[in-house]
C-alpha cells in the first residue's frame, strides 16, 4: 500500500512549486502589465484618462461607452469593431477573419482583442454614445412554449431609452454555479419602442448556454438585471418594397417588435408583408392568435406558419414542411415575381444561409436582404 | 566524473556538445523559425533567457527539495512547472517590450515550453550532477549554442532561398539536411574537448 504521508508529500511538493511559480508570475504581471494612465481620445471630441493594461472593449465600458458585443468579448462574434486612429501594432490573427480588406486598410480593430497600452485615439459611430447600461427589474416571466420564455423588464426611473424596432440589448448575468465570471449575450427586443418603461425579450433555453440557463433556471420576478442597450442596425428600411420576413423559434423577437411598432405608427397595412414562422412541432409555436389576428385585420399582412414534424397527437392543419421549404414554395405560388422585395431574417446561421439562398434564387440581391444572425 | 571548470563547460556547451547539433534537442521550433533571421535572433535570445532562468530555479529545487525529500522521481513534474512559468513570464515581458517580436514569434513563443532543449538541459544538469555555477554556465552555454545554431541556419536559409532546391525538399526537408551538415561541421570541435 502506498503510504499516505508520501502522497501528501508529493502533493505538497508539486503544490509548493506551483505556488512559487504563480507568485513569480503575478509579481512580474503587476510590474510588466502596469501601463499607468493613458489618454483615450474618442472621435476627437471626448478625451478621458484611463488606466492602461486592459482590453479596449472593457476600458470603453468603464467609461460608459458600450460597443456592440454579442459574444461578451471572446472574439467570436466580430461585433465590437472600431476604427483605431493611433498605432496599436499590427492586426492579430484573432481579428483578421472578421475584417474586410477595406477595414484592414482603415485599421478597424476588434475592441475585445486590442489592449490599451499607450495613448490611443478611436473613431466610433456617434449613436454608440447613446448606448447605456440600465439596471432593470424583472416584471414578469411567461412560458410561451416549453423552452421559450417571455421576459418583461421594467426600466429604471428616468432612463429615457429610445430605440428602433429590430435593435437588441445585451443582457448581463452575474457569476453563478460553475460559471466564474459575469457573462453577457445579445437578445433582440420584442417590445415596441412606444412602450417607454418596459423591455421584452423572448429567450429560448439553449442547452449548456450560460445566459439562457441563468434566465430559465435562476432569474425570478423582482430580480435586478443589467441590460446594455440599444445596439444593432437591424431595422425596417423605409421603402415601399414588400417585406419577406423569416424568423422561426425565438427569432420572432425582432419581428414582434417591428410589427407592434408599425401597428402603433399606423403603417402596418401600408406595405406587403409575408412573415414566415415555424418550429419542429405544434408545441414550438406561440403568439399564433396575435399573428392570425394581424393577418385577418390587414389585407396586405400574410402570416405563414410551418411545422416540420407534428408530435404524436398534435393537430396541424397544413402539410408538415420545413420553414425554408415553405418559403421556397410560397415564392413560386404566392409572392409575385415582379414585386420589389426586401428580406428580413432572424435566426440561426444555418436557417439564415438557407433562406438567403432561396431569396437569391428568386431574384433578390444581397443588398436588399437584412439579417440578425444568432452568434 | 571529474570536475569541469566553468570556462571549459561554457565552451563545451556552445561548440562540442551543442544542444541542437550534438544532441538534436529543440528541432521543431528550429526548423519553423529559422526561415527568418530576425525572428531567429529573437527566439534564440528568448531561449537563452529561459534556459538560464530555468536552470537557476530548477537547481535549488533539485538540491534543496527533491533530493532531501527523496523524491527525485518527481523531477519532470517540477521542471515542467518551472519551465512553463518562466516562459509565461517571458511572454508577458516580450509583449510589453517588443510587440513586433511578440507578433513575429507568434505561437512559437509559448511553444518554448515544449522545446525539448530546455527540459533536456535541466535534466543534463541533474544527471551530470553539476553545482550551481556549473548549472548556470551550462544553461547559458546551451542557450548561446542554440542561438548560434539557429542564426547560422537562418543565414544559410537566406542563401538556400535563392538557390534551386528540388521541389520535394523545399522548406523543412532542406533545413534538416542543412542541420545534418552543420552537425558534421560541429563534430570537428569535438576533438578539442569532450564533456558528457
Amino acid at each position: 500500500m502506498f503510504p499516505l504521508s508520501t502522497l501528501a508529500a508529493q502533493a505538497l511538493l508539486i503544490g509548493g512549486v506551483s505556488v512559487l511559480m504563480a507568485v513569480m508570475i503575478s509579481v512580474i504581471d503587476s510590474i510588466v502589465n502596469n501601463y499607468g494612465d493613458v489618454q483615450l481620445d474618442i472621435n476627437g471630441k471626448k478625451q478621458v484618462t484611463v488606466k492602461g493594461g486592459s482590453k479596449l472593449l472593457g476600458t470603453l465600458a468603464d467609461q460608459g461607452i458600450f460597443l456592440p458585443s454579442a459574444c461578451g468579448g471572446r472574439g467570436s462574434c466580430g461585433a465590437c469593431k472600431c476604427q483605431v486612429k493611433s498605432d496599436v501594432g499590427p492586426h492579430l490573427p484573432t481579428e483578421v477573419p472578421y475584417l474586410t480588406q477595406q477595414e484592414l486598410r482603415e485599421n478597424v480593430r476588434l475592441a475585445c482583442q486590442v489592449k490599451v497600452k499607450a495613448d490611443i485615439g478611436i473613431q466610433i459611430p456617434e449613436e454608440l454614445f447613446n448606448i447605456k447600461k440600465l439596471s432593470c427589474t424583472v416584471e414578469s416571466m411567461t412560458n410561451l412554449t416549453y423552452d421559450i420564455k417571455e421576459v418583461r423588464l421594467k426600466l429604471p426611473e428616468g432612463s429615457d431609452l429610445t430605440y428602433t424596432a429590430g435593435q437588441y440589448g445585451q443582457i448581463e448575468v452575474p457569476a453563478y454555479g460553475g460559471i466564474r465570471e459575469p457573462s453577457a449575450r445579445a437578445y433582440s427586443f420584442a417590445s415596441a419602442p412606444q412602450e417607454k418603461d418596459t423591455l421584452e425579450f423572448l429567450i429560448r433555453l439553449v442547452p449548456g448556454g450560460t445566459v439562457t440557463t441563468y434566465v430559465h433556471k435562476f432569474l425570478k420576478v423582482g430580480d435586478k438585471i443589467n441590460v446594455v442597450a440599444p445596439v444593432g442596425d437591424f431595422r425596417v428600411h423605409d421603402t415601399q418594397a414588400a417585406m419577406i420576413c423569416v424568423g422561426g423559434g425565438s427569432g420572432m423577437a425582432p419581428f414582434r417588435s417591428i410589427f407592434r411598432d408599425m401597428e402603433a405608427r399606423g403603417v402596418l397595412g401600408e406595405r406587403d408583408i409575408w412573415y414566415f414562422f415555424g418550429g419542429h412541432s405544434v408545441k414550438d409555436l406561440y403568439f399564433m392568435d396575435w399573428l392570425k389576428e394581424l393577418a385577418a385585420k390587414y389585407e396586405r399582412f400574410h402570416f405563414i406558419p410551418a411545422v416540420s414534424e407534428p408530435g404524436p397527437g398534435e393537430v396541424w392543419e397544413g402539410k408538415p414542411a420545413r420553414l425554408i421549404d415553405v418559403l421556397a414554395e410560397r415564392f413560386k405560388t404566392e409572392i409575385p415575381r415582379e414585386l420589389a422585395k426586401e428580406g428580413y431574417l432572424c435566426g440561426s446561421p444555418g436557417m439564415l444561409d438557407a433562406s438567403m439562398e432561396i431569396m437569391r434564387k428568386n431574384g433578390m440581391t444581397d443588398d436588399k436582404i437584412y439579417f440578425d444572425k444568432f452568434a | 566524473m571529474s570536475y569541469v571548470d566553468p570556462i571549459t563547460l561554457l565552451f563545451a556547451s556552445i561548440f562540442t556538445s551543442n544542444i541542437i547539433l550534438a544532441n538534436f534537442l529543440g528541432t521543431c521550433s528550429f526548423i519553423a523559425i529559422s526561415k527568418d533571421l530576425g525572428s531567429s535572433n529573437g527566439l534564440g535570445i528568448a531561449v537563452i533567457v529561459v534556459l538560464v532562468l530555468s536552470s537557476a530555479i530548477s537547481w535549488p529545487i533539485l538540491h534543496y527539495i527533491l533530493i532531501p525529500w527523496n523524491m527525485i522521481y518527481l523531477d519532470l513534474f517540477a521542471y515542467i512547472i518551472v519551465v512553463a512559468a518562466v516562459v509565461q513570464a517571458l511572454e508577458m515581458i516580450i509583449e510589453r517590450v517588443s510587440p513586433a517580436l511578440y507578433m513575429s514569434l507568434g505561437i512559437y513563443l509559448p511553444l518554448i515550453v515544449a522545446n525539448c532543449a530546455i527540459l533536456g538541459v535541466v535534466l543534463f544538469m541533474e544527471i551530470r550532477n553539476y553545482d550551481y555555477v556549473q548549472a548556470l554556465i551550462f544553461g547559458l552555454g546551451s542557450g548561446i549554442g542554440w542561438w548560434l545554431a539557429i542564426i547560422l541556419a537562418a543565414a544559410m536559409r537566406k542563401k538556400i532561398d535563392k538557390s534551386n532546391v528540388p521541389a520535394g525538399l523545399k522548406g523543412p526537408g532542406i533545413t534538416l539536411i542543412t542541420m545534418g551538415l552543420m552537425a558534421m561541421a560541429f563534430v570537428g570541435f569535438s576533438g578539442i574537448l569532450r564533456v558528457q
Side-chain angles (χ1 to χ4, degrees):
Chain A
M1 184 66 196
F2 211 59
L4 201 63
S5 58
T6 314
L7 203 65
Q10 287 172 346
L12 196 67
L13 176 90
I14 298 299
V17 172
S18 308
V19 167
L20 200 69
M21 294 297 116
V23 168
M24 181 187 87
I25 288 180
S26 54
V27 168
I28 291 176
D29 182 51
S30 65
I31 299 166
V32 170
N33 281 339
N34 179 8
Y35 291 88
D37 288 340
V38 298
Q39 285 290 323
L40 173 62
D41 177 300
I42 305 158
N43 290 7
K45 282 185 186 165
K46 189 178 171 186
Q47 281 85 19
V48 280
T49 306
V50 295
K51 226 169 122 30
S54 307
K55 298 286 195 261
L56 182 57
L57 184 67
T59 308
L60 285 171
D62 290 342
Q63 297 302 317
I65 292 163
F66 299 96
L67 296 185
S69 166
C71 67
R74 297 179 300 174
S76 69
C77 73
C80 59
K81 287 177 185 173
C82 92
Q83 193 182 9
V84 177
K85 295 285 192 186
S86 54
D87 182 23
V88 288
H91 285 88
L92 301 174
T94 43
E95 299 176 88
V96 174
Y98 298 101
L99 301 169
T100 63
Q101 284 300 322
Q102 193 188 350
E103 287 171 334
L104 287 171
R105 272 198 303 278
E106 290 171 352
N107 202 29
V108 171
R109 310 295 297 253
L110 296 190
C112 68
Q113 302 296 309
V114 172
K115 211 172 182 180
V116 181
K117 296 177 184 173
D119 292 358
I120 184 171
I122 60 165
Q123 185 80 35
I124 55 172
E126 289 289 329
E127 63 263 24
L128 291 183
F129 285 113
N130 297 330
I131 301 180
K132 284 175 260 191
K133 187 183 268 196
L134 306 158
S135 172
C136 304
T137 315
V138 180
E139 194 177 273
S140 72
M141 296 184 61
T142 319
N143 285 324
L144 297 176
T145 72
Y146 63 99
D147 68 348
I148 299 178
K149 266 186 200 301
E150 180 192 61
V151 179
R152 273 179 75 86
L153 303 180
K154 192 164 173 47
L155 288 166
E157 287 293 325
S159 60
D160 191 32
L161 175 71
T162 48
Y163 61 94
T164 315
Q167 284 193 298
Y168 62 88
Q170 284 152 229
I171 298 186
E172 293 186 356
V173 302
Y176 71 96
I179 314 286
R180 302 254 177 82
E181 282 175 18
S183 327
R185 296 287 186 277
Y187 296 95
S188 293
F189 300 128
S191 42
Q194 289 80 7
E195 284 181 81
K196 277 292 174 201
D197 53 346
T198 50
L199 287 178
E200 277 176 33
F201 297 92
L202 307 181
I203 297 176
R204 161 179 243 139
L205 177 63
V206 178
T210 309
V211 173
T212 63
T213 306
Y214 183 85
V215 169
H216 274 256
K217 308 271 191 240
F218 297 97
L219 194 66
K220 296 184 302 290
V221 171
D223 282 357
K224 288 268 181 207
I225 192 159
N226 284 333
V227 179
V228 173
V231 203
D233 49 15
F234 188 66
R235 63 187 169 83
V236 173
H237 293 252
D238 196 13
T239 63
Q240 282 308 307
M243 293 167 61
I244 314 293
C245 309
V246 185
S250 58
M252 188 202 284
F255 298 112
R256 183 158 163 85
S257 178
I258 285 169
F259 299 151
R260 287 160 94 186
D261 170 54
M262 290 174 87
E263 189 167 36
R265 289 189 289 118
V267 297
L268 190 58
E270 290 178 5
R271 60 196 278 194
D272 291 308
I273 297 174
W274 274 267
Y275 177 48
F276 293 85
F277 172 66
H280 284 291
S281 54
V282 177
K283 68 179 172 27
D284 289 310
L285 305 182
Y286 56 96
F287 287 146
M288 295 295 279
D289 293 341
W290 169 63
L291 288 162
K292 283 178 182 161
E293 218 172 88
L294 287 184
K297 198 161 153 194
Y298 302 100
E299 200 189 324
R300 300 175 77 177
F301 185 94
H302 311 271
F303 171 53
I304 294 136
V307 164
S308 55
E309 296 163 52
E314 285 182 345
V315 182
W316 181 243
E317 57 256 41
K319 198 168 65 160
R322 292 187 308 162
L323 187 59
I324 49 166
D325 296 333
V326 174
L327 176 68
E329 181 219 310
R330 296 294 168 121
F331 263 112
K332 288 200 191 87
T333 58
E334 184 176 323
I335 305 171
R337 200 165 173 86
E338 64 285 356
L339 205 62
K341 293 183 275 285
E342 283 169 359
Y344 293 90
L345 310 171
C346 178
S348 63
M351 202 277 299
L352 248 64
D353 293 342
S355 307
M356 284 174 86
E357 198 49 50
I358 293 166
M359 290 184 167
R360 279 189 213 113
K361 267 188 202 149
N362 287 282
M364 296 176 64
T365 49
D366 280 0
D367 59 321
K368 293 280 182 232
I369 303 176
Y370 311 103
F371 56 85
D372 190 358
K373 206 180 261 193
F374 291 174
Chain B
M1 194 175 72
S2 61
Y3 181 81
V4 188
D5 72 272
I7 305 286
T8 313
L9 186 61
L10 180 68
F11 189 75
S13 54
I14 298 174
F15 297 107
T16 61
S17 12
N18 185 291
I19 192 73
I20 182 152
L21 296 173
N23 294 302
F24 263 76
L25 290 173
T27 40
C28 40
S29 43
F30 181 90
I31 291 171
I33 293 291
S34 65
K35 61 176 177 283
D36 174 56
L37 190 58
S39 314
S40 297
N41 186 34
L43 188 69
I45 291 168
V47 167
I48 297 176
V49 174
V50 173
L51 269 174
V52 173
L53 288 177
S54 307
S55 306
I57 300 172
S58 301
W59 193 89
I61 290 178
L62 172 69
H63 287 269
Y64 295 113
I65 303 176
L66 293 175
I67 292 176
W69 287 19
N70 219 0
M71 288 202 287
I72 293 188
Y73 57 92
L74 284 178
D75 54 357
L76 277 173
F77 286 91
Y79 298 157
I80 286 285
I81 295 171
V82 170
V83 172
V86 169
V87 170
Q88 173 67 50
L90 191 71
E91 191 180 344
M92 293 191 299
I93 294 171
I94 293 184
E95 190 191 355
R96 175 72 197 255
V97 177
S98 172
L101 179 62
Y102 183 76
M103 286 295 296
S104 72
L105 293 180
I107 186 71
Y108 291 100
L109 186 56
L111 275 186
I112 295 181
V113 175
N115 186 333
C116 35
I118 316 282
L119 195 61
V121 164
V122 179
L123 287 171
F124 278 143
M125 166 201 88
E126 181 187 315
I127 296 165
R128 295 176 186 170
N129 211 4
Y130 287 143
D131 66 21
Y132 197 53
V133 176
Q134 282 179 317
L136 288 181
I137 292 291
F138 184 62
L140 176 69
S142 299
I144 295 174
W146 200 90
W147 167 80
L148 184 68
I150 195 171
I151 57 167
L152 288 177
M156 276 187 266
R157 282 183 77 169
K158 275 200 150 164
K159 288 217 155 195
I160 292 170
D161 283 344
K162 292 197 182 76
S163 46
N164 195 8
V165 179
L169 280 178
K170 282 209 168 89
I174 195 74
T175 310
L176 277 169
I177 293 174
T178 312
M179 267 175 79
L181 294 173
M182 286 171 74
M184 282 204 275
F186 270 66
V187 168
F189 290 116
S190 65
I192 306 173
L193 48 92
R194 192 108 190 117
V195 176
Q196 278 296 330

